[in-house]
Amino acid sequence: MSAPHVSLPDPTHLPNLPRLPPADPVTSPVTGWTRAHWEAVADRLLDALRPYASPGLAQYRLPGRPSHSGAWSDGLEGFARSFLLAAFRIAGSGGRQTPGLIERYAAGLASGTDPRSPDHWPPITDRSQPMVEAASVAIALHETRPWIWDRLDDRVRQRIAEWLGGFLGAVVNDSNWRLFQVITEEFLASVGAPHSRAEIDAGLARLEDWYRGDGWYTDGDGHKFDYYNAWALHLYPVLWARIAGPRADTRPVAEHRARLRTFLHDHQHFFGADGAPVHQGRSLTYRFGTTAPLWAGVLADATPLPPGRTRRLASGALKHFAERGVPDDRGLLTLGWYRPFLPVTQRYSGPASPYWASKAFLGLLLPAHHPVWTAPEEPGPVETGDVRRALPAPGWLLHSTAADGIVRLVNHGSDRLPPPPTRADDSPHYARFAYSSATAPETPADRAPDNHIALLAPDGTPTPRGRIHPLTVEGPRAASWHRAVLPGSGEGHRIESVSVVHGPWEVRVHRVDAPPGTPVREGGWAVADDTGPPLGRTGPGRALARRADGLTSTIVGLRGWRDAGAAVAHAAGANAYGHHSATPYLTLPAHPGGTHLLVTLVVLSADPEVNGDLESNGGRKTNGDRRTNGGRETNGGRKTNGDPYARSSGTRVRVAVSGEVEIRFPDGTRERVPR
C-alpha cells in the first residue's frame, strides 16, 4: 500500500490542469504520465503567466508577498525563471510547437535590456538577486540559440551581453551563486562577448572545496546539505559543459559526471511511493525541482538509473503535486508546498521564486524517441523493498518501507550553519532529528516538540539543537552531539544522540547532561491533514497521533523515562502538509543530574500491521488509554514500577554494565550501541 499523506481529490480529474492527455498504462504503468503530460503542464504554467506580464513582456509581476529584493527584482525573476521553462519547451519541440513563446520571450529580452523601457531589468551588482536570474537567462538563451539568440537584432544582442556582463569583477556570494557566474560568463564566451576565464575557473575550483565525497557537496562552508546539492551544485556543472562545449577542460567535466552518477545512487531514494520528495531544507517551494538532477544525469550520460525508473521518479513527483492542487486554480505556482504556506519560504522568496521548479522540465531537451521517454516505467526503490542507506558525507541515514511507501531521513549532520563563531540559530528544516516524504516539521518551531529533544526552562521554553556535531554514520546507526543552552545561561549541556533504524522503527539513544531537576522533553513526528485534527492517544510512557487515513506517529519511552508524562500537542496553521497537526511527546519531569541515559522509540508508519502492534500489549489491547483531539493536550503518563519498556511496541532494550545498549526490534533483529 501507499499512504496518500494528504487529502486527495479525484486523481482522474485535475481541474487545475484541464488539458492533460489520457493516461498511458502501457508505457507508464506506475504513474500513467508521459512526455505529453509534461508538455501539457509546461504549457499550462506558461499560459497562466500571460496576464501578469508587463507591457514590454520583460517582467512577470505575480501576486503575493514580495521578496526582500523588492518588486523590481521580483519581476525580473518572473521573466527569467519562466524563460527557463519556455526554453526547454521550445528546444524540446525544435521550435515547431511554440512560435508564440519564441516571440514573447524575444520581445521581453529586447525590452528588459533597454534602459529606456519602463520595464527594464535591474542591473547586476555585487551580491544582488539579478545574479541568480542572469544564469537562468543565459541557460535559456543557449538552449534556444537557433530560435531566439540567432534571430535577435544585433543591438539587442549587444544590450543582453552588456547586462549579463555585470558579472565581470562583481562580488558573488560564496555559495552555489559562484556557479551562476560560471554559467553566465561561459555563455558570454560562447557569443564572443567580454568575459573572464579566470572568474569561470575560480568558480569551478571553489566547487572542489565543497565536495565531501560520495557525490555530496555542502553549499558553502559548514554542514549545509539539502536539495541545493541536487538542483544547483550538480546541475550547473552539467549545464556549463553544454554551453562550453569544446572550450571545457575534459578533466573537470568527467569528474562532475562521475560525481553526479554517484549522487544519483542516493538521490533516487529521496522520493516516496506517492512521488513526494523528502521534506527537508530550504527553498522547498521549488517542489518538483527536486527531479532536475535525474534528467541531468541522462543529459550528461551520467546516470546509473534505468530510463524507466528515471521517468517514473520524475513523473511521480510532478503528478504528486498536481493531485494536490499544484498549480493552483489560476495555473500559478504559489509560495508554499501544496497550498500557499509562507513558513517554507525564506526572505529571498518572492512571488515568482517557485518557478525555479522549471528545472524539472529539463527532460524535454531529450528527444521524444529517447529511451527515457519510451521505455516502460520501472518502480522506484521504495516500492520494491525496505531500504536502509547510510550517507556519511551529509551525516544522514535513509530508511524507507515498501508497505507504506514512506521515506524517512535521520539527520545527524546538516544544520546549515557557517563555521564557528557564527551564532547557532535553529531552523526547523535543518535542526530536527528526522524528516520524511509524508510529513513536514512544525513551523515556527520555537516551542514545537516534533523530532527534537530539549531541556526545558522554568517557563517551558525548550533549548534549541543549534550546531550539530557529527560523530558517525555507519550501517544502521548515525550519531551526533549538540550543546543545549538554557535561556539566561551561558553554560551548555552536552546531549549525545545515536539513532538506530530498522524498517519503520527508529530507536534514539540519548546521553543527556543537565542540572538536577531540569525537565527533559522529546517529541515524535508531526502528522498533519486538512480534513480535521489527528486523533491523539496516550498511555504509560507512550503517545501517538493518527490521521484519518491511518498515518500514525508514535513515541515510546524505552529506558530512563520513569514517571514521564505522555501527551499530544495539537496545532493549527503550523504545518505544510495540512492545516491541522499533532505531535506525540514525552516529558521527564526532573533530570537526576549528571549524565542520564534516555532511550526512545519513534515510529512513523501507515502500515496497519505496524501500527496495530504498537497499540497492542503482548498481543492484547491496552486498557486505560486516554485520547485527545482538537487543541487540547492530554497527559496520560501514569506512574509505573520501573521504566515503561516497550510492552506496547515489541521493541526492547537492555543496558549492560559497560553502558552498551542492546536493542531488540519486534522482528527479532538485534543492534548494539557501544558506550
Side-chain angles (χ1 to χ4, degrees):
M1 64 174 282
S2 176
H5 306 160
V6 74
S7 305
L8 275 177
D10 177 2
T12 64
H13 176 62
L14 303 177
N16 297 349
L17 295 168
R19 298 187 183 89
L20 285 182
D24 181 349
V26 176
T27 305
S28 301
V30 184
T31 70
W33 281 35
T34 63
R35 181 187 179 96
H37 289 80
W38 282 83
E39 292 173 338
V41 176
D43 291 344
R44 169 64 167 151
L45 293 172
L46 290 165
D47 289 346
L49 290 171
R50 295 187 67 176
Y52 304 96
S54 61
L57 303 177
Q59 297 188 29
Y60 289 89
R61 298 166 180 165
L62 301 179
R65 182 202 69 184
S67 74
H68 70 89
S69 297
W72 190 19
S73 176
D74 292 347
L76 164 63
E77 188 171 71
F79 177 90
R81 299 189 181 198
S82 64
F83 185 26
L84 196 61
L85 175 58
F88 298 151
R89 185 73 177 96
I90 292 166
S93 70
R96 292 182 297 275
Q97 301 175 21
T98 53
L101 285 179
I102 294 171
E103 295 168 1
R104 181 169 141 195
Y105 282 91
L109 288 161
S111 180
T113 56
D114 183 352
R116 299 166 300 176
S117 169
D119 56 356
H120 69 278
W121 297 336
I124 296 171
T125 57
D126 290 351
R127 303 181 188 273
S128 64
Q129 185 65 28
M131 288 180 163
V132 184
E133 312 319 321
S136 292
V137 171
I139 294 164
L141 284 169
H142 171 76
E143 298 297 346
T144 60
R145 191 180 298 249
W147 305 283
I148 295 182
W149 177 264
D150 290 348
R151 299 180 183 179
L152 290 173
D153 183 274
D154 284 343
R155 290 171 298 177
V156 175
R157 286 198 293 239
Q158 180 65 30
R159 292 203 307 264
I160 293 171
E162 289 174 355
W163 183 78
L164 294 174
F167 256 118
L168 272 73
V171 178
V172 181
N173 287 332
D174 197 28
S175 64
N176 66 89
W177 282 42
R178 297 292 293 269
L179 297 177
F180 304 150
Q181 183 174 42
V182 167
I183 288 284
T184 303
E185 295 200 34
E186 193 64 64
F187 174 77
L188 290 171
S190 76
V191 297
H195 63 283
S196 168
R197 182 56 57 186
E199 289 181 346
I200 295 171
D201 292 343
L204 294 171
R206 190 69 175 114
L207 186 63
E208 299 304 300
D209 297 335
W210 300 328
Y211 188 61
R212 297 293 182 263
D214 298 327
W216 286 92
Y217 296 95
T218 174
D219 184 15
D221 295 332
H223 302 291
K224 301 176 181 178
F225 300 101
D226 53 30
Y227 284 117
Y228 277 83
N229 191 77
W231 58 40
L233 298 168
H234 276 294
L235 178 63
Y236 286 111
V238 169
L239 298 176
W240 162 74
R242 287 174 65 85
I243 297 172
R247 291 186 305 279
D249 185 334
T250 57
R251 287 174 297 177
V253 170
E255 190 66 41
H256 297 154
R257 291 175 62 230
R259 292 173 182 176
L260 175 56
R261 181 181 297 273
T262 300
F263 171 68
L264 290 175
H265 277 290
D266 291 340
H267 190 63
Q268 65 176 319
H269 295 282
F270 278 71
F271 299 89
D274 65 347
V278 170
H279 193 93
Q280 180 272 342
R282 66 190 177 100
S283 299
L284 290 170
T285 194
Y286 304 158
R287 299 177 174 101
F288 40 80
T290 52
T291 66
L294 298 170
W295 299 116
V298 181
L299 280 168
D301 190 23
T303 181
L305 309 183
R309 188 184 306 165
T310 293
R311 189 174 80 256
R312 182 272 174 273
L313 294 172
S315 292
L318 185 63
K319 185 180 181 183
H320 174 85
F321 287 100
E323 290 178 338
R324 290 156 179 82
V326 180
D328 70 6
D329 56 0
R330 300 164 296 180
L332 300 180
L333 299 178
T334 60
L335 285 167
W337 183 245
Y338 301 133
R339 66 192 189 285
F341 189 71
L342 291 180
V344 301
T345 66
Q346 285 71 40
R347 290 178 61 247
Y348 56 74
S349 304
S353 294
Y355 287 83
W356 237 31
S358 297
K359 296 176 179 182
F361 293 82
L362 194 69
L364 293 179
L365 294 177
L366 297 159
H369 58 76
H370 191 284
V372 81
W373 291 117
T374 61
E377 281 184 340
E378 298 183 25
V382 69
E383 297 167 283
T384 57
D386 292 359
V387 175
R388 185 187 69 211
R389 194 169 185 87
L391 307 177
W396 289 345
L397 275 177
L398 281 176
H399 61 122
S400 62
T401 41
D404 54 15
I406 296 174
V407 179
R408 306 158 191 82
L409 182 157
V410 179
N411 176 32
H412 285 273
S414 182
D415 53 24
R416 194 159 178 80
L417 296 173
T422 305
R423 180 176 171 179
D425 291 327
D426 263 9
S427 164
H429 294 100
Y430 292 93
R432 289 334 200 193
F433 273 98
Y435 301 90
S436 85
S437 61
T439 64
E442 295 283 83
T443 48
D446 296 347
R447 289 180 176 263
D450 58 299
N451 279 317
H452 181 50
I453 187 167
L455 309 182
L456 300 182
D459 66 354
T461 300
T463 56
R465 192 177 185 190
R467 193 174 301 280
I468 299 171
H469 301 269
L471 293 173
T472 185
V473 179
E474 184 178 7
R477 293 190 299 274
S480 65
W481 67 273
H482 72 276
R483 194 168 298 283
V485 180
L486 288 161
S489 170
E491 181 183 3
H493 303 279
R494 181 180 172 114
I495 299 179
E496 183 175 317
S497 303
V498 182
S499 293
V500 183
V501 301
H502 179 66
W505 303 287
E506 178 192 355
V507 172
R508 298 174 186 164
V509 179
H510 304 288
R511 291 181 167 88
V512 182
D513 175 63
T518 305
V520 184
R521 187 190 70 187
E522 182 168 18
W525 298 85
V527 294
D529 198 2
D530 284 325
T531 61
L535 169 73
R537 178 177 290 176
T538 64
R542 63 191 179 95
L544 67 82
R546 174 173 295 150
R547 277 198 336 211
D549 65 3
L551 181 66
T552 303
S553 167
T554 305
I555 186 166
V556 181
L558 301 182
R559 190 81 174 188
W561 290 100
R562 179 180 296 185
D563 298 335
V568 177
H570 292 268
N575 198 286
Y577 270 67
H579 180 71
H580 305 280
S581 55
T583 306
Y585 67 94
L586 304 175
T587 304
L588 184 71
H591 189 286
T595 299
H596 182 57
L597 176 67
L598 292 172
V599 184
T600 314
L601 172 71
V602 290
V603 185
L604 176 72
S605 180
D607 184 349
E609 292 188 10
V610 171
N611 294 333
D613 289 344
L614 286 165
E615 289 200 80
S616 67
N617 181 1
R620 301 185 306 275
K621 293 292 182 182
T622 58
N623 297 318
D625 283 352
R626 299 176 63 182
R627 305 184 181 195
T628 72
N629 56 41
R632 301 189 305 275
E633 294 189 3
T634 296
N635 185 338
R638 298 173 299 177
K639 290 187 176 182
T640 60
N641 295 321
D643 286 338
Y645 300 109
R647 294 190 305 272
S648 57
S649 72
T651 303
R652 286 173 166 74
V653 298
R654 184 179 66 85
V655 181
V657 174
S658 64
E660 179 184 74
V661 177
E662 181 184 82
I663 303 163
R664 191 183 75 182
F665 289 101
D667 65 358
T669 299
R670 297 175 185 265
E671 299 288 351
R672 289 178 170 82
V673 177
R675 175 66 178 94

